[in-house]
């Protein structure tokens, strides 16, 4: 049963601006049976005032561009220009964390709606180990945890005293420099960290979200993935297909879904 409630949500009630930016290279294997299906993408993490946000760099840049163009006169030319500047990304979600309330929120746009569900931090339980080494110029220490059906090894540094990290991972005595599941299907590696000269606000503040729970969100997303054309048509988006084109696209989509069998969360 779907659980949805419409609410105007500020993505974060920021008491401070984001003062730190970390860049991670995310590497993942799309098809668990095909080692040639590995891809990578740059992800970014902003932190400040006990809060953080994590997304793909492409998603962050794309949203920033769209917000800038909203202030301009809307014409077919300006829309085409805007679309040409938006980078491609495989991930259109935002993950925000509030260390004070110990909550992590996941937000993603599906067709024209933004959905949000919230979890608490208690589902990530770390075991800190004595092993240490150097990664990316930082002294790091080893830790292990299990989350959503996968077992992870992380390396964190107390040289950056931010109890946070990429994706939903957090709660160690320093920033996570590297984290990977035991099969190396998902790997996040820190490639840059800096204190921002000009602190920034969350780009997702003041968006409207449909609040739901995790299981309901996954059901909505599964329905969309199974029939994206139908889902878009239900919102009023119309398409002009040549004879047989729609059937061809749907067949290609089903074949692609069979290969996309390795989500980061298994449960």
């Amino acid at each position: 049963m779907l659980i949805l409630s419409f609410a105007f949500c500020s993505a974060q009630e920021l008491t401070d601006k984001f003062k730190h930016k970390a860049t991670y290279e995310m590497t993942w294997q799309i098809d668990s049976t095909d080692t040639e299906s590995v891809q990578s993408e740059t992800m970014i993490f902003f932190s400040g005032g006990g809060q953080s946000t994590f997304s793909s760099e492409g998603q962050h840049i794309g949203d920033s561009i769209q917000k800038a163009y909203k202030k301009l006169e809307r014409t077919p030319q300006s829309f085409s220009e805007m679309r040409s500047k938006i980078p491609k990304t495989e991930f259109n979600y935002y993950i925000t964390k509030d260390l004070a309330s110990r909550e992590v929120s996941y937000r993603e746009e599906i067709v024209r709606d933004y959905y949000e569900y919230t979890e608490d931090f208690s589902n990530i339980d770390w075991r800190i180990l004595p092993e240490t080494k150097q990664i990316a110029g930082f002294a790091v220490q080893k830790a292990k945890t299990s989350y959503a059906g996968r077992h992870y090894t992380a390396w964190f540094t107390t040289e950056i005293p931010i109890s946070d990290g990429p994706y939903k991972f957090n709660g160690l005595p320093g920033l996570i420099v590297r984290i990977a599941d035991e099969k190396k299907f998902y790997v996040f590696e820190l490639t840059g960290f800096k204190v921002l000269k000009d602190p920034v606000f969350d780009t997702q503040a003041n968006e409207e979200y449909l609040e739901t729970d995790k299981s309901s969100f996954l059901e909505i997303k599964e329905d969309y993935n199974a029939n994206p054309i139908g889902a878009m048509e239900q919102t009023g988006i119309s398409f002009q297909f040549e004879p047989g084109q729609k059937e061809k696209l749907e067949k290609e989509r089903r074949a692609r879904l069979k290969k996309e069998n390795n989500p980061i969360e298994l449960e």
Side-chain angles (χ1 to χ4, degrees):
M1 177 181 177
L2 295 182
I3 302 174
L4 291 172
S5 62
F6 187 73
F8 181 78
C9 311
S10 173
Q12 288 179 304
E13 297 297 329
L14 288 176
T15 57
D16 203 351
K17 295 179 180 180
F18 291 142
K19 297 178 179 178
H20 308 99
K21 178 183 178 181
T23 305
Y24 289 89
E25 189 69 12
M26 175 185 173
T27 304
W28 77 102
Q29 187 171 318
I30 298 171
D31 184 344
S32 61
T33 66
D34 181 10
T35 57
E36 298 298 315
S37 67
V38 173
Q39 292 190 17
S40 63
E41 188 167 341
T42 300
M43 313 295 283
I44 55 174
F45 166 89
F46 290 100
S47 174
Q51 298 165 321
S52 68
T53 183
F54 178 80
S55 69
S56 72
E57 184 177 59
Q59 181 69 19
H60 174 76
I61 292 172
D63 276 350
S64 298
I65 289 172
Q66 290 187 66
K67 288 181 188 300
Y69 271 82
K70 281 181 180 179
K71 300 175 183 178
L72 304 177
E73 181 182 357
R74 295 188 179 185
T75 65
Q77 182 181 358
S78 68
F79 179 79
S80 177
E81 181 180 290
M82 178 194 73
R83 294 294 299 176
S84 69
K85 292 181 178 180
I86 294 176
K88 181 183 177 183
T89 177
E90 295 296 324
F91 305 99
N92 61 347
Y93 62 70
Y94 282 88
I95 293 171
T96 62
K97 307 187 194 93
D98 188 310
L99 302 184
S101 64
R102 297 190 58 76
E103 286 185 340
V104 55
S105 296
Y106 181 101
R107 302 178 175 95
E108 184 171 345
E109 182 181 12
I110 300 178
V111 191
R112 290 177 171 175
D113 290 321
Y114 289 87
Y115 295 90
E116 174 190 39
Y117 67 84
T118 302
E119 300 173 282
D120 62 46
F121 291 172
S122 61
N123 54 9
I124 299 181
D125 184 25
W126 293 100
R127 180 164 57 96
I128 297 177
L129 303 171
E131 186 177 345
T132 61
K133 63 179 180 179
Q134 292 277 326
I135 297 180
F138 295 103
V140 298
Q141 187 170 353
K142 191 176 187 178
K144 287 182 175 290
T145 193
S146 295
Y147 176 71
R150 295 189 186 275
H151 304 296
Y152 290 91
T153 296
W155 295 90
F156 68 93
T157 179
T158 56
E159 294 175 16
I160 304 176
I162 298 174
S163 181
D164 214 331
Y167 196 62
K168 297 178 181 178
F169 302 108
N170 66 89
L172 287 167
L175 186 69
I176 295 172
V177 174
R178 186 180 191 275
I179 184 167
D181 69 288
E182 61 185 354
K183 294 184 178 180
K184 304 293 191 299
F185 283 154
Y186 285 86
V187 181
F188 297 89
E189 188 122 24
L190 184 72
T191 57
F193 179 84
K194 63 181 179 180
V195 178
L196 297 173
K197 182 179 179 181
D198 298 309
V200 298
F201 282 115
D202 180 14
T203 60
Q204 285 294 287
N206 300 320
E207 293 287 358
E208 292 182 347
Y209 294 94
L210 289 166
E211 294 181 325
T212 185
D213 57 36
K214 184 176 179 180
S215 61
S216 297
F217 169 79
L218 293 176
E219 185 178 337
I220 293 166
K221 189 169 184 179
E222 183 178 352
D223 289 343
Y224 168 76
N225 287 337
N227 185 16
I229 295 174
M232 287 186 279
E233 287 176 335
Q234 286 181 1
T235 67
I237 300 173
S238 60
F239 299 90
Q240 298 294 326
F241 292 111
E242 297 292 333
Q245 185 182 16
K246 181 177 181 180
E247 291 75 16
K248 181 174 181 276
L249 290 172
E250 290 174 339
K251 182 179 179 181
E252 291 173 350
R253 179 66 180 174
R254 287 193 295 270
R256 189 161 57 250
L257 278 176
K258 288 182 178 180
K259 296 180 179 180
E260 296 173 356
N261 56 29
N262 199 23
I264 188 169
E265 297 189 23
L266 300 176
E267 57 185 39

